[in-house]
Amino acid sequence: MQITVLSGKGGTGKTTVSTNLALSLPNVQFFDADVEEPNSYLFIKPDFADKSKSVLRKIPEVDQEKCTSCRACVDFCEYNALAMLGDEVLVYPEVCHSCGGCKHICPEGAITEKDKEAGEINWDLEVTEELEYWQGKMKIGEESSVPIIEELKEEIKPEKNVVMDAPPGTTCPTIEAAIDSDYCILVTEPTPFGLHDLKMAVEVVEELGKPYGIIINRAEEGENEIIEDYAAENNIDILLKIPFQRQIAELYSDGIPFVEELPEWKEKFQEVFADIQAVVE
Amino acid sequence: MKIVVTAADDNGLKAKLDSRFGRASYFAFVDTKDDSVEFIKNDAKNASSGAGVQAAQTVADTGADVLISGNIGPKAFDGLSRTDLEIYSGPEESIQKVIDEYQLGNLEQLESATKSAHAGLN
Amino acid sequence: MKKLTVISGKGGTGKTTVTANLAALAQDLVLADCDVDAPNLHLLMNPEVEEQEDYRGAKLAVKDDSKCIDCGKCYELCEFNAVTPDYEINDIKCEGCGLCVAQCPTDALTLEKQVTGDLFYSKSAVGPMVHAKLKIGAENSGKLVSEVKENAEQLAKEEGKDLVLVDGSPGIGCPVIASLNGVDGALIVTEPTQSGLADLKRVLEVVDHFSLPAMVAINKHDLNQNLSQEIKEFCQEKDVKLVGEIPFSTTIVEAMRQGELVMDYAADSEAAEAIEEIWGKVKKEL
């Protein structure tokens, strides 16, 4: 089963929820798909050693001998990744989206493809006996994180309990991370901001047609109504409330998952998992 | 001589130099023989990606001898440097004034891009 | 006219809270919310929307069923798996490359610009505000960010305002670069957490590339004194000016829950004073 943890905006506690959930369950495969700024390693502390591989994507290569300067490729490219300057076709790999179109368009067969590194994937198969960790990281200079998330998802083992930390927001990368999951956890906080961003995240999971529930982070008695009322009105489950406590904030600041210091929380996360299982099945 | 100046509007020789290259509003194409000026709308201004590259293509295609702009990114600069164009940096003044300054030899010729790559940081 | 962008690298450090409170201190300015993926500034500024525009960003392939002969060429060619096995276009996956359009034997496909967001021109208590919202699943290329920022600059010119204050985009990608382009200074709001420090380092690299004066404000500074110290040392080493420290305070959270600015909610609080100090120093830097 795959559970994806999302939030409409960064900083609401997405990584807190996903890492603590992962550390509370058996037989887990954890994925950090927030490849622009993967931060979960700060909490789970995997040992990558040399366990790393490149994510490659295709970019065009022009055989200038065969090229007749007809410009068909330059005119075709929607991303302006090709230009005809000084009698040669220049390729701008950073803006190329690897659609492969120019190769098909070229009437002379002068365009082939070569690999470009878009990012890397690191893993640790045994952080603990119960936890396997995978992380994608976008290379500096790349424009799209989607190819890295796609490649990361190739590593999913369906027999495991998969927990995925998705990129924040509502654009392409978030959707890519959530699109194949069985259940989505939306993390929010009880403020007008939190509600606003939660509604955006709900739009995403509704569009994808996934079952989902809410975890309220920085919860406080007497303040949670703003989220609870919304959830009740829209018939959305609230899975858990993580209290607004200085101790939890301090543990977070030091990169310590709070279930390690407050083990009673492991049970609560296990209950959340059981609830999710019941919904999915 | 044919000179291209990036322009913020299309108000003849009174138009102001646009210090952006890829997202400039217009390219003013000036022929110094008769001081005629023709404006080409910069379609790259609205490109989602690769505006600098597309603008470089437009400028190169005019067949001008000289380009005067403000900030040219490395992608566009790299492309333009493969053509015979000479590239200068000019002040945000009227096209007339910019051309005058160029002819007096007061403008700085650019040998490298004036700002870092956008995508190079991503 | 001066332009300042407030950024954070990591989300949730208090970037928008700081921006809104600085706006209240500065008065008489133009505001731009460049966090077009998840805009929040309007929740604190409560602006009145005066004009709304469709924003057309990405192009997508659109199929004309009457012309399609189900040859499957588009399905075969698409590198983005955006054509389903029964030859429909999946809008979420389509990147608008145009290959299927160019190769379709019956011209059943065209590329069309889609409305991928909304652009708003509003009036707030401190001056005009430009903001926007990308639609779900749209691609944030930074272009809408540029549009928001440039429109705000244009308004400031027209109305003779001295300051454009930009709530920047999160992350380190194209959008944040677009929100920094051409400004006079960047204020980075960070927090003393491992993630906060890691992201501060990455976002400073971006700012460095623009040769902008960068300033750092530490929010919740007393949450972790060791990390606060580490951030200060890091700033010193990088020659980045520390302009203030805001305490971990429930006042800010309470104000936020009421949808109010700390400046209005508790003007005498420690947090409010800290933000005033930040504004004083930022003003001097600019």
Side-chain angles (χ1 to χ4, degrees), chain A:
Chain A
M1 178 165 74
Q2 183 192 333
I3 300 171
T4 302
V5 183
L6 312 170
S7 63
K9 184 164 182 134
T12 54
K14 192 171 51 61
T15 302
T16 301
V17 167
S18 58
T19 52
N20 283 293
L21 174 66
L23 289 163
S24 303
L25 303 179
N27 190 31
V28 172
Q29 198 188 14
F30 183 91
F31 287 90
D32 193 338
D34 188 358
V35 303
E36 251 192 82
E37 282 163 330
N39 274 341
S40 64
Y41 73 93
L42 293 166
F43 300 89
I44 293 186
K45 303 178 183 72
D47 174 14
F48 296 138
D50 54 354
K51 288 166 297 225
S52 125
K53 63 174 180 183
S54 295
V55 179
L56 302 173
R57 63 181 181 94
K58 301 273 187 217
I59 55 162
E61 188 167 36
V62 183
D63 182 343
Q64 305 291 352
E65 298 281 298
K66 287 190 189 166
C67 175
T68 58
S69 305
C70 77
R71 281 196 183 210
C73 57
V74 174
D75 293 338
F76 167 77
C77 184
E78 281 290 328
Y79 312 114
N80 295 314
L82 297 164
M84 181 86 220
L85 291 162
D87 301 327
E88 271 195 9
V89 174
L90 285 185
V91 179
Y92 290 92
E94 303 89 347
V95 279
C96 170
H97 279 46
S98 304
C99 75
C102 50
K103 177 184 71 187
H104 294 287
I105 295 297
C106 177
E108 309 298 330
I111 298 181
T112 50
E113 289 180 320
K114 65 176 181 185
D115 288 329
K116 176 182 192 310
E117 195 182 0
E120 66 173 21
I121 289 177
N122 295 93
W123 64 92
D124 180 350
L125 297 181
E126 232 179 1
V127 181
T128 69
E129 260 174 44
E130 301 294 344
L131 180 61
E132 181 177 322
Y133 180 94
W134 293 80
Q135 167 192 292
K137 193 169 185 180
M138 186 166 96
K139 195 178 163 177
I140 288 186
E142 285 295 303
E143 290 202 344
S144 171
S145 58
V146 172
I148 301 145
I149 299 171
E150 275 176 348
E151 189 106 352
L152 197 58
K153 281 175 17 186
E154 294 286 311
E155 303 298 337
I156 289 179
K157 298 171 183 161
E159 73 278 12
K160 295 238 176 209
N161 294 320
V162 174
V163 176
M164 184 172 289
D165 189 358
T170 59
T171 51
C172 295
T174 310
I175 286 177
E176 186 59 41
I179 202 162
D180 302 316
S181 57
D182 300 300
Y183 192 92
C184 293
I185 297 176
L186 312 183
V187 184
T188 187
E189 53 182 33
T191 65
F193 288 95
L195 178 63
H196 176 261
D197 300 336
L198 173 64
K199 286 180 183 166
M200 296 195 309
V202 165
E203 254 189 86
V204 172
V205 286
E206 287 283 348
E207 167 112 16
L208 295 175
K210 302 289 175 193
Y212 60 98
I214 296 170
I215 290 186
I216 305 181
N217 189 29
R218 301 190 193 103
E220 217 169 349
E221 271 321 306
E223 303 295 344
N224 299 332
E225 287 78 9
I226 185 169
I227 303 296
E228 286 167 345
D229 292 349
Y230 168 78
E233 265 166 47
N234 294 280
N235 220 356
I236 307 170
D237 290 336
I238 293 184
L239 303 163
L240 186 70
K241 294 172 203 165
I242 301 171
F244 184 53
Q245 263 176 22
R246 199 177 165 109
Q247 190 189 6
I248 289 179
E250 279 174 0
L251 289 169
Y252 172 86
S253 75
D254 273 322
I256 300 168
F258 68 86
V259 292
E260 285 180 1
E261 295 291 316
L262 308 163
E264 66 275 17
W265 278 92
K266 281 201 177 172
E267 272 166 48
K268 295 191 184 175
F269 277 106
Q270 285 156 7
E271 281 164 28
V272 166
F273 184 72
D275 290 345
I276 291 175
Q277 247 174 339
V279 170
V280 172
E281 277 156 21

Side-chain angles (χ1 to χ4, degrees), chain B:
Chain B
M1 182 184 307
K2 297 177 178 88
I3 301 175
V4 170
V5 185
T6 49
D9 55 85
D10 60 353
N11 188 18
L13 289 168
K14 284 189 199 142
K16 255 190 156 183
L17 178 139
D18 195 331
S19 63
R20 299 166 304 178
F21 177 69
R23 301 210 183 267
S25 298
Y26 295 91
F27 298 113
F29 184 78
V30 182
D31 194 332
T32 53
K33 247 195 327 210
D34 51 6
D35 270 353
S36 67
V37 55
E38 188 191 324
F39 286 87
I40 304 164
K41 212 164 186 253
N42 179 20
D43 292 332
K45 187 177 165 61
N46 293 317
S48 313
S49 84
V53 178
Q54 195 186 335
Q57 184 77 66
T58 307
V59 169
D61 291 348
T62 62
D65 309 292
V66 169
L67 165 68
I68 307 174
S69 185
N71 297 313
I72 302 177
K75 285 197 213 106
F77 197 93
D78 179 50
L80 290 169
S81 63
R82 289 165 197 251
T83 67
D84 295 330
L85 261 176
E86 287 180 15
I87 305 168
Y88 289 82
S89 171
E92 278 187 8
E93 301 276 356
S94 70
I95 305 280
Q96 182 67 62
K97 168 112 176 149
V98 169
I99 302 269
D100 291 348
E101 291 288 323
Y102 165 75
Q103 285 173 331
L104 290 168
N106 290 340
L107 298 188
E108 180 197 355
Q109 184 165 3
L110 298 176
E111 304 292 342
S112 68
T114 49
K115 64 176 187 186
S116 312
H118 283 206
L121 302 163
N122 213 340

